[in-house]
Amino acid sequence: MTGNYADYALLKEDDPFEECRNWFFYGINADETYPKEFLEYLQELCDRIDKGEEKLIPVTIEDLREIEELLDVGED
């Protein structure tokens, strides 16, 4: 750390708890929140992978580049 935090200190009238709470809820709102059903699906998928019920296909960076070239991803 650089120690350049003096300008970011709370004012005397600021409540540190309130400031912390506000930043906490801001952080939640800033992140993408996934639906419960989607998270449950991911958990079930991980369980099936652990049990060997799902077949995984390894993909390399080169494979992804070839797919991008075929789909012309990123080019306008």
Side-chain angles (χ1 to χ4, degrees):
M1 292 193 89
T2 62
N4 295 328
Y5 55 84
D7 294 332
Y8 298 99
L10 295 174
L11 300 174
K12 290 181 182 179
E13 62 269 9
D14 288 340
D15 178 14
F17 174 78
E18 188 71 22
E19 185 74 13
C20 180
R21 187 175 72 124
N22 289 341
W23 277 109
F24 170 76
F25 284 110
Y26 169 77
I28 289 176
N29 292 329
D31 293 334
E32 186 172 341
T33 304
Y34 295 104
K36 180 182 176 192
E37 295 81 18
F38 176 70
L39 296 175
E40 289 173 344
Y41 161 76
L42 289 179
Q43 288 178 330
E44 291 171 8
L45 180 60
C46 289
D47 290 341
R48 290 196 312 265
I49 290 170
D50 288 342
K51 294 176 186 175
E53 297 173 357
E54 294 287 336
K55 181 180 177 185
L56 299 179
I57 302 170
V59 177
T60 64
I61 295 295
E62 292 78 23
D63 295 334
L64 292 176
R65 288 186 185 128
E66 289 178 25
I67 293 170
E68 286 178 351
E69 288 174 9
L70 290 172
L71 298 175
D72 293 326
V73 173
E75 295 180 16
D76 293 329

